[in-house]
């Protein structure tokens, strides 16, 4: 399992790393390697629903291609990951643009590190939104994602890792409201009840554990970033605060604990690096955010526009390495207070599956158990393997029983006449000679196995012998030769 370890209790814990070293960024396990091109003519395609991994050099420019239809909104996110210890300036940035074939910008974003000048992952997206009142970037066809790193003289020259995602959102069956709600609750909720609970954060978006309403404690080291995710449904409102615990020592560090919130497509919703730390406990809270609504996308406010769909919202919390220089290189207490207010509202009338832009019962269960996206994928794969194993075992047992009966029925007749075609049956069904059986995974015949009825070798083959032919069976019975079922 990437980024997670299954525990006997059914919950998950982040993957362990070397003692005394902050965990590096965890890229998605299924991230495909891709090489950004220098020209659009050579650009490699980013498929929808896939995750990719690349690296951009200082002052480098990389180009990728996406093929878009005329029926879906499209989002391409980029997470930039400078290596630990890289020197950064507040002017360092990564510019991302989505362009059509004429070189016109469909959308742009700039990833910055702000006043907290230390290496940490930052992310953002560009998108193509379908709009009947626009003509630019509305057609199906090829588009290009242009990623350009602008480094300053004082910045170090190490390449930055890139994690890219391309996701699609279906359009609506019918047009709805085109104005973002203006009136929504702005009062902060009561502090979560139940007392603090421990939950270790992940080292990337892919292994971020789920959180729900409550007070959550963790440990964070100087220079480290911790990731978490919270399911927020349509009509619900997310409130988040982060506290850094007190420590012995003297000093002062500005931009001590940058906290950023990202939407399900990894668009930036809000970021706050205003905490100043002097060894006393400190707290910072996001200003109240509007409830999640489809119509938010029509707002001129960047943060309101980013609250445009339901799904998993991601928190990234980073501790400035200068805290370690002033107060010691040790783990510090981190407390997150999370409240999701409001009852879920009906989803908008999408013309297709909502995909990641929804909150399911499985998502709520994952938040309760603290599972990450990587853990959910691993659990799903294991479930399929287990189900497949049970099903295959049932078929094998049934097939063996059937062939035993058939062998007994035909044994007397076989003694009186030779096998039809002059060949004894091996693994081929119904008198069709076949190759010897080579088991696949789990002992199940793999490709190239010619099997009997049900695609299962007969009982005698399993015992190492041969089975007399079944004269009543048509000669074409059984799987295609050389391929299996």
């Amino acid at each position: 399992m990437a980024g997670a370890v299954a525990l006997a209790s059914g919950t998950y814990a982040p993957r362990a790393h070397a003692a005394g070293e902050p965990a590096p960024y965890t890229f998605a396990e299924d991230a495909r390697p891709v090489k950004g091109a220098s020209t659009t003519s050579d650009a490699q395609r980013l498929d929808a629903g896939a995750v990719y991994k690349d690296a951009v050099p200082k002052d480098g420019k990389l180009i990728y291609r996406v093929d878009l239809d005329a029926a879906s909104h499209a989002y391409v996110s980029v997470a930039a990951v400078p290596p630990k210890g890289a020197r950064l300036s507040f002017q360092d940035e990564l510019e991302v643009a989505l362009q059509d074939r004429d070189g016109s910008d469909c959308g742009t974003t700039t990833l910055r590190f702000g006043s907290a000048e230390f290496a940490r992952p930052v992310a953002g997206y560009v998108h193509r939104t379908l709009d009947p009142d626009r003509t630019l970037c509305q057609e199906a066809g090829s588009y290009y994602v242009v990623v350009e790193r602008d480094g300053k003289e004082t910045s170090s020259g190490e390449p930055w890792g890139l994690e890219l995602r391309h996701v699609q959102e279906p359009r609506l069956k019918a047009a709805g409201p085109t104005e973002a709600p203006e009136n929504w609750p702005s009062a902060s909720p009561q502090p979560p009840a139940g007392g603090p609970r421990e939950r270790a954060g992940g080292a990337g978006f892919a292994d971020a554990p789920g959180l729900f309403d409550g007070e959550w404690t963790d440990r964070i080291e100087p220079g480290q970033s911790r990731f978490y995710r919270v399911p927020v449904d349509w009509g619900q409102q997310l409130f988040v605060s982060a506290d850094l615990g007190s420590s012995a020592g003297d000093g002062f560090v500005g931009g001590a604990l940058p906290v950023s919130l990202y939407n399900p497509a990894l668009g930036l919703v809000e970021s706050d690096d205003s905490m100043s730390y002097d060894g006393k406990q400190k707290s910072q809270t996001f200003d109240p955010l509007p409830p999640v609504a489809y119509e938010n996308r029509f707002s001129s406010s960047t943060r309101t526009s980013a609250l445009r769909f339901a799904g998993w919202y991601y928190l990234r919390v980073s501790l400035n390495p200068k805290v370690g220089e002033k107060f010691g290189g040790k783990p510090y207490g981190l407390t997150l207070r999370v409240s999701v207010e409001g009852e879920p509202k009906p989803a908008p009338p999408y013309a297709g599956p909502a995909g990641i832009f929804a909150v399911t019962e499985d998502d709520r269960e994952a938040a309760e158990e603290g599972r990450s996206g990587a853990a959910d994928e691993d659990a799903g794969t294991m479930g399929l393997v287990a189900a497949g194993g049970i099903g295959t075992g049932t078929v094998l047992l049934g097939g063996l029983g059937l062939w035993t009966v058939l062998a007994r029925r035909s044994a007397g007749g076989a003694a009186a006449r030779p096998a039809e075609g002059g060949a004894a049956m091996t693994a081929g069904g119904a008198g069709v000679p076949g190759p010897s059986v080579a088991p696949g995974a789990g002992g199940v015949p793999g490709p190239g196995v010619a099997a009997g009825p049900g695609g299962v070798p007969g009982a005698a083959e399993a015992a190492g012998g041969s089975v007399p032919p079944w004269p009543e069976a048509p000669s074409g019975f059984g799987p295609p030769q050389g391929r299996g079922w």
Side-chain angles (χ1 to χ4, degrees):
M1 295 183 183
V5 177
L7 303 179
S9 63
T11 59
Y12 289 79
R15 184 171 51 194
H17 296 273
E21 295 183 6
Y25 183 81
T26 298
F27 287 86
E29 182 184 32
D30 57 351
R32 306 174 186 176
V34 66
K35 184 66 176 176
S38 58
T39 72
T40 55
S41 301
D42 300 323
Q44 296 185 34
R45 186 176 67 185
L46 306 180
D47 294 330
V51 185
Y52 296 85
K53 182 180 179 180
D54 200 357
V56 60
K58 185 175 182 179
D59 297 321
K61 181 178 181 180
L62 304 177
I63 303 175
Y64 311 88
R65 168 178 166 167
V66 290
D67 292 336
L68 306 184
D69 59 30
S72 306
H73 309 298
Y75 302 84
V76 179
S77 67
V78 179
V81 187
K84 179 185 176 183
R87 293 194 315 276
L88 298 178
S89 161
F90 75 93
Q91 294 177 308
D92 276 294
E93 58 188 29
L94 193 75
E95 297 178 355
V96 186
L98 179 63
Q99 298 177 348
D100 66 12
R101 288 160 50 204
D102 286 326
S104 299
D105 287 341
C106 308
T108 63
T109 191
T110 302
L111 312 185
R112 296 187 176 95
F113 298 89
S115 59
E117 302 170 11
F118 69 93
R120 61 190 185 279
V122 294
Y125 66 20
V126 289
H127 58 87
R128 190 284 304 269
T129 302
L130 297 173
D131 186 343
D133 296 328
R134 297 185 61 189
T135 57
L136 184 65
C137 303
Q138 300 298 296
E139 297 179 352
S142 300
Y143 291 77
Y144 299 94
V145 180
V146 182
V147 178
E148 192 165 6
R149 176 181 166 187
D150 185 8
K152 304 305 175 183
E153 292 183 2
T154 57
S155 305
S156 53
E158 304 97 329
W160 294 355
L162 298 179
E163 189 173 51
L164 304 102
R165 289 172 170 82
H166 173 198
V167 297
Q168 293 182 337
E169 178 194 23
R171 70 190 313 167
L172 299 182
K173 296 177 181 178
T178 57
E179 293 185 4
E182 295 183 358
N183 299 315
W184 42 270
S186 59
S188 298
Q190 294 295 318
R197 286 168 284 191
E198 294 184 5
R199 185 147 295 177
F205 292 105
D207 71 346
L211 302 179
F212 60 99
D213 281 18
E215 181 179 342
W216 304 96
T217 61
D218 196 0
R219 310 293 285 182
I220 187 170
E221 298 178 33
Q224 186 178 33
S225 292
R226 301 291 253 173
F227 291 79
Y228 313 85
R229 61 178 188 160
V230 183
V232 186
D233 212 339
W234 298 106
Q236 292 189 318
Q237 199 171 3
L238 177 62
F239 295 86
V240 176
S241 67
D243 294 2
L244 183 60
S246 61
S247 174
D250 295 316
F252 179 87
V253 178
L257 193 74
V259 181
S260 293
L261 175 68
Y262 298 92
N263 68 21
L266 300 190
L268 179 64
V269 178
E270 183 72 286
S271 187
D272 188 349
D273 61 1
S274 62
M275 179 187 289
S276 295
Y277 188 69
D278 58 4
K280 297 179 180 179
Q281 65 273 18
K282 298 294 179 181
S283 178
Q284 63 186 23
T285 303
F286 284 147
D287 290 336
L289 299 167
V292 169
Y294 186 90
E295 300 81 20
N296 284 342
R297 67 191 61 206
F298 302 110
S299 173
S300 58
S301 164
T302 302
R303 72 173 197 153
T304 299
S305 177
L307 292 160
R308 61 177 59 195
F309 22 56
W312 288 103
Y313 280 73
Y314 294 84
L315 282 166
R316 190 226 65 220
V317 183
S318 304
L319 184 60
N320 196 321
K322 292 180 180 178
V323 172
E325 296 173 10
K326 298 289 186 180
F327 300 93
K330 58 192 177 186
Y332 289 75
L334 172 66
T335 302
L336 297 175
R337 291 178 174 83
V338 175
S339 295
V340 179
E341 298 294 310
E343 291 298 320
K345 292 185 177 180
Y350 281 129
I356 65 171
F357 305 120
V359 175
T360 66
E361 287 303 316
D362 285 343
D363 292 334
R364 295 186 179 92
E365 185 177 297
E368 292 273 352
E369 298 178 0
R371 297 200 308 266
S372 67
D376 280 343
E377 291 176 4
D378 289 337
T381 301
M382 293 300 293
L384 289 174
V385 171
I390 293 171
T392 302
T394 303
V395 171
L396 284 170
L397 290 174
L400 290 172
L402 172 63
W403 275 92
T404 301
V405 173
L406 294 175
R408 290 173 178 172
R409 287 177 55 187
S410 58
R417 61 180 184 273
E420 295 181 11
M425 178 180 292
T426 55
V432 183
S436 59
V437 178
V444 181
V449 177
V456 181
E461 289 89 344
S466 62
V467 175
W470 186 18
E472 294 83 358
S475 60
F477 189 82
Q481 293 296 311
R483 289 181 294 165
W485 286 111

